[in-house]
Amino acid sequence: MRVIAKREHLLTLFKQAAKLSSVGSPIDALQGVLLESDQTNQTFQLSSTNLETSMRLTMQAHVETSGGCILNSRLGVQMLSLLAGEEVTLMLEKNILQLNAQQGQYRIATLPASTYPAMELPLPADYVTISRLPSMIRATGFATTKDGNTSGLNLVFSEKGIKTVSADGFRIMSALGKSEKGTSIQMLVPAKSMALLSTLVTDDDQLQVGITGKSISFVKNNFIFTARIMSGDFIDTDGIMNSCEPLFTVLSDGEYLHKSIDHVTSFADEHATLSLTFEGAQIALLCESELGSGKNKADVIPLKGIPTGTYYYNVRHLMQCLRAFNGNLYVSVAQGGLLLLSDETTSGMLTPRRATKKTKQKKELPQAA
């Protein structure tokens, strides 16, 4: 293999591919990135997998001879970062890869390309074109568990577009995206895989999404990302959300409400409780912990019903939810204290907590004379 490539471009792709490599894996090949050059098409490919998720990145390069090897991901990023110059030359001979640049040279041992685990990176025959995927993942991915089907994101394709849905026993989050082709199907994909994908694409990217066997593929120019489809059914989140009848609804601003709550919870730990007391056109905010307490008020606009009552929520769960909303935020309270949040593209539901019990201070006994 002998390849001349743009160093900065190659470094960018190598960093992306390295995100899937498993540094501590007992399989040496999985600690690296598969490099392959194609003289016929004048392309250089970087592939990586963690056996659950796979990706392939392709760039144009000057390829004098075809070949392949597995380069340790950590060392590859370091070497390409430290080398200078616009171009880098990669030469492989007997599993020794030599990198030459304007100022500097490295020689490093590699593994044979044939030892890399087989990857399924098929191009789907039928696909749906979507956009705005990273924002959807960020708005829902945090509300997942570590085990079971709620460790995945539910991707729902319909005539209205695409949405991602998550649930963790405390919250339900749903975010809408754009789809150029109507279809009706839903599937579960590991939340970790989707979180990684959100770092590799942008909201403006037009992704072609299709199913091949037990995998889902996301494709754009010179980029293929494949994740496994989880077995089993997701909970009926639509049924749960639709059964919630708001007692009242107020209008706020997502960023404003987040900052207002942040002022009274900055000292609180992840187990702290926040009380929301609705008083017409205001919400009184109170957070108490062993370290102290904080109070604040947030102005709102009553829209439906009479905003009244005090309700309690986990601080961390609520703040994570609020970060998912922008602009006008509709805040509702349903029967039992269920908190409903929504804007144009995102909606959520948060379960309440019981009122915090205040510890009674013991009265000091009078001392004997």
Side-chain angles (χ1 to χ4, degrees):
M1 178 176 73
R2 181 181 173 87
V3 179
I4 301 174
K6 295 295 184 181
R7 186 184 64 84
E8 287 290 345
H9 189 189
L10 179 58
L11 174 59
T12 297
L13 297 188
F14 208 102
K15 286 180 177 179
Q16 293 177 336
K19 291 181 178 181
L20 268 185
S21 63
S22 304
V23 176
S25 174
I27 304 175
D28 291 338
L30 290 180
Q31 298 182 32
V33 173
L34 175 62
L35 307 179
E36 296 175 296
S37 61
D38 187 333
Q39 184 181 15
T40 301
N41 296 316
Q42 291 292 294
T43 57
F44 193 50
Q45 291 186 334
L46 297 85
S47 305
S48 58
T49 184
N50 59 11
L51 301 183
E52 181 175 76
T53 307
S54 303
M55 79 168 85
R56 176 170 293 149
L57 307 165
T58 305
M59 65 180 292
Q60 294 299 126
H62 177 65
V63 180
E64 296 182 6
T65 55
S66 300
C69 66
I70 303 170
L71 178 59
N72 181 277
S73 60
R74 179 177 59 83
L75 295 177
V77 170
Q78 289 180 343
M79 291 186 297
L80 289 170
S81 299
L82 293 172
L83 289 171
E86 293 185 4
E87 295 182 336
V88 60
T89 301
L90 299 90
M91 296 178 291
L92 179 67
E93 185 175 354
K94 296 181 179 180
N95 291 333
I96 299 297
L97 182 65
Q98 181 172 310
L99 289 78
N100 295 334
Q102 181 179 349
Q103 296 177 353
Q105 179 187 96
Y106 289 104
R107 288 175 56 84
I108 187 168
T110 64
L111 296 174
S114 59
T115 64
Y116 203 75
M119 292 180 292
E120 293 186 5
L121 287 163
L123 290 172
D126 191 23
Y127 59 85
V128 176
T129 302
I130 67 171
S131 59
R132 201 181 166 272
L133 188 60
S135 288
M136 297 166 59
I137 296 172
R138 286 191 291 269
T140 54
F142 61 87
T144 58
T145 62
K146 293 183 179 180
D147 302 307
N149 282 353
T150 50
S151 66
L153 278 185
N154 195 29
L155 304 187
V156 182
F157 297 84
S158 68
E159 294 295 333
K160 297 180 180 179
I162 177 178
K163 68 177 180 180
T164 57
V165 185
S166 62
D168 62 1
F170 304 99
R171 299 165 292 191
I172 293 175
M173 294 296 297
S174 175
L176 296 174
K178 295 181 180 179
S179 172
E180 293 183 356
K181 183 179 180 181
T183 187
S184 295
I185 191 172
Q186 60 178 309
M187 68 206 70
L188 272 172
V189 183
K192 288 185 177 179
S193 299
M194 298 303 290
L196 174 61
L197 177 60
S198 70
T199 68
L200 302 173
V201 298
T202 68
D203 277 354
D204 294 330
D205 284 331
Q206 301 288 314
L207 297 175
Q208 297 175 355
V209 184
I211 300 174
T212 50
K214 296 182 179 180
S215 299
I216 180 171
S217 297
F218 301 84
V219 182
K220 66 173 185 175
N221 289 337
N222 301 321
F223 174 89
I224 304 176
F225 185 97
T226 300
R228 72 177 177 91
I229 297 174
M230 300 170 61
S231 59
D233 297 323
F234 200 65
I235 62 175
D236 182 13
T237 54
D238 284 344
I240 295 173
M241 296 286 283
N242 293 335
S243 66
C244 297
E245 185 66 31
L247 301 174
F248 58 82
T249 301
V250 299
L251 177 64
S252 182
D253 177 84
E255 184 178 0
Y256 164 71
L257 186 57
H258 182 277
K259 288 182 178 179
S260 299
I261 295 176
D262 189 45
H263 288 164
V264 302
T265 61
S266 57
F267 60 87
D269 60 33
E270 63 178 14
H271 303 295
T273 298
L274 173 74
S275 68
L276 305 182
T277 300
F278 291 84
E279 304 170 336
Q282 281 190 327
I283 305 177
L285 312 170
L286 172 62
C287 182
E288 295 181 305
S289 77
E290 295 180 355
L291 298 176
S293 64
K295 295 181 179 180
N296 196 9
K297 288 190 176 183
D299 295 326
V300 295
I301 301 174
L303 296 179
K304 180 182 178 181
I306 301 175
T308 185
T310 300
Y311 307 90
Y312 303 86
Y313 305 96
N314 176 274
V315 168
R316 183 173 65 89
H317 291 167
L318 178 57
M319 293 295 277
Q320 286 179 329
C321 290
L322 288 175
R323 280 195 287 268
F325 296 94
N326 296 299
N328 289 337
L329 174 63
Y330 297 88
V331 181
S332 302
V333 175
Q335 192 70 33
L338 290 172
L339 187 66
L340 309 176
L341 306 167
S342 65
D343 61 16
E344 291 184 358
T345 60
T346 307
S347 59
M349 184 192 79
L350 177 63
T351 58
R353 277 187 164 186
R354 292 182 180 179
T356 304
K357 293 183 179 180
K358 295 184 178 180
T359 303
K360 295 182 179 181
Q361 294 182 351
K362 295 182 180 180
K363 294 183 179 180
E364 294 184 3
L365 296 176
Q367 296 182 357

